[in-house]
Each structure stands twice: as structure tokens, then as C-alpha cells.
Amino acid sequence: MAWQQLRVRVRSDQIEPLEQLILDYGGLSISYLDADDQPVFQKDPGSTQLWDLVDLVCLFEKEINLDKLLLLLQQHPAIEDKESLTLKTLEDQVWERSWMSDFKAMQFGERLWVCPSWQKPPEPNAVNIMLDPGLAFGSGSHATTSMCLQWLEKNIRDDIKVIDYGCGSGILAIAAALLGAAQVIAVDNDPQAITATIENAKRNNIPKGVIETYLPDQLPDNPAGLLSDILVANILAEPLMQLAEDLSHLVKPQGQIALSGLLAEQADGLLEHYGFWFEMDKAVMSEEWARLSGTRLN
Ligand SMILES: C[S@@+](CC[C@H](N)C(=O)[O-])C[C@H]1O[C@@H](n2cnc3c(N)ncnc32)[C@H](O)[C@@H]1O
């Protein structure tokens, strides 16, 4: 079976009337794609933040005649860029599997690899995280995750206690456990991330009890019992700023912190803020992102 794919560029505040029109003409699905490579940040779990300019990608059955819809869209005042309107035929394929070819094994530092769970690890004797990217963030391909994995690969020592604050898929928590940490506490305010972390920990044969997962308000009351040797948090600049004092109370004196999820231009503000509790190192940059690290003052 083949399909028709219609694509059109539109400002995000103009999407609603177009969506209804597309559905009225038999649209089966409408995807939103970033038309302009603009970073946007999810403010709250479950909320959807859109780019200013969006490419709508709409799927129709092959038999449907779309001449009238194309004409209406050509004349629609919400579509400023008429040239962006295209229609093409898509041959059928196994859609659930088609993204898999883009996810390849990746190496971080000397001994750590993240491998798609359906592939044989290229280095069987390395520390291999077997991962299926699910709905939660964290496959290793994003610069912030990658910088955190590289830092963990260098800094995890055997038998230490680690906190992964904002665990997403659990990739950093699992890396810490596989690299030798004795106990890892994985925290996220999105229940889907907690589920993904538990699933991925099982898939990596992490012994029961090594990784514990918590929503932030479920964390045990006594911060002394939670004190970690290493805390890693790949969140965003704003929550990192707000959480700074709480996170600092979760790290032992002389313990280490690694932070990412912030843009390069946000590094100075966070370095200054965290400098109250930590001796901070120079920021490390990758693409437009930064990673900070530091050692807890006594
Ligand atoms: C960028 S993802 C990082 C996922 C993974 N640790 C990685 O490095 O790829 C950020 C995660 O932090 C979570 N998060 C954001 N704000 C948070 C907060 N205030 N408390 C706990 N988790 C938070 C999000 O739900 C998301 O799963």
C-alpha cells in the first residue's frame, strides 16, 4: 500500500484552522517538524512547546483526490510561503522499524559504549549499555548526554554512590552502575522516565536494588542518607538554577557534581551560582551546549 504525504510550512499560531481543514479532507495523521532549527524547551512535564515556524507533514490514503485541498491551501491566508506546499507519494514500509537504521552504536571515552539493543556490541568486552530509545529522552546522541557519559566514564570509581537527577531513559544511571557504582539513585519528575529507567535497567541486567528510582517528592526526607559521591544532572538551565541548593545538599563534602542541559551562553550564570557550594571547573562545550563540573566544598 502507498500513501500521499502533504507538507506545508506555517507559523505555529496559524496551525489550528489548517489542521481542521486537513482532517476534513481525510488527513490520517499530522506531524509537526521544526522548520527553522530553533531550540525549544519543555517547561512542564506533559506540556508541548512549539517552534515559531512549523512544517506540517500530513499523511493521506493514496486513493483520496487532494486537488481541492491543494487549491484551498494555495489560497489560504494562514500559509505565507506557498512554495513550501508539496505533495509526494510514499511507498509503504515497516514504519515502526524504519527509525532503527539511524540509531548506531556510539563510544564514550575509552571503555563505554551505548548500543541499540538489536545489534551486537562492536566491542563485546567494553562496558556496553544496551538501549532502546523509548519515549524518554536519552539515547546518547544528544551533545548533553554525550558530554555527561564522557565525564562519568572518567570519574566513576568502584563502589561509590551516584545520583542521576533528571534520569530520562536512565542512560546515565545505567552507565554509572555498569562502570562500577554500588548504588545509583535515579530521579525524574516525569513518570514515563521512571518507567523507562526501570525497563532499561532490567534490559542491562543491573542487579535489583542497585538503581532506585524516585519522583522528586518521593525522595526520602533525610538528605544525609542520600549523600552521594557523584551527582549528575542533565536538565535545563532554569531548573538547574532553581535546584542548586537542593542538589548541593545531596553531595558529600569533596564529592563531585556534573551538570548539563544548559546552553553555552548560560554557563557563566550557573558557574557563579554553583560556585557558592562547589569549586567549579572550566565549562566544556559541545555544539551549542555546555557541561559544568565541580567539587563540593566542605
Ligand atoms: C534532557 S533529559 C536528560 C535525560 C538523561 N539523563 C540524559 O542525560 O540523556 C532531562 C530529564 O530531566 C527531567 N526533569 C526536568 N526537570 C526536572 C525536575 N525539576 N526534577 C526532576 N526531573 C526533571 C525531564 O523529565 C527529563 O527526563
Side-chain angles (χ1 to χ4, degrees), residues 103-104 106-109 112-115 129 131 133 136-156 164-176 179 188 197 200 232-236 240 258-263 284-292:
F103 182 30
K104 304 259 182 326
M106 289 167 284
Q107 186 175 13
F108 302 91
L112 181 63
W113 284 78
V114 176
C115 308
I129 303 178
L131 204 75
F137 184 101
S139 69
S141 57
H142 197 269
T144 58
T145 312
S146 165
M147 287 192 285
C148 290
L149 287 169
Q150 286 170 29
W151 188 90
L152 288 173
E153 195 268 343
K154 285 211 164 55
N155 288 283
I156 294 284
D164 173 11
Y165 209 101
C167 56
S169 65
I171 186 168
L172 303 181
I174 293 164
L179 287 164
D188 205 290
T197 298
N200 282 323
V232 61
N234 180 15
I235 315 188
L236 282 176
L240 285 177
L259 308 170
S260 195
L262 54 137
L263 293 166
V284 172
M285 311 293 179
S286 173
E287 299 167 18
E288 70 265 48
W289 301 95
R291 184 196 69 210
L292 311 180

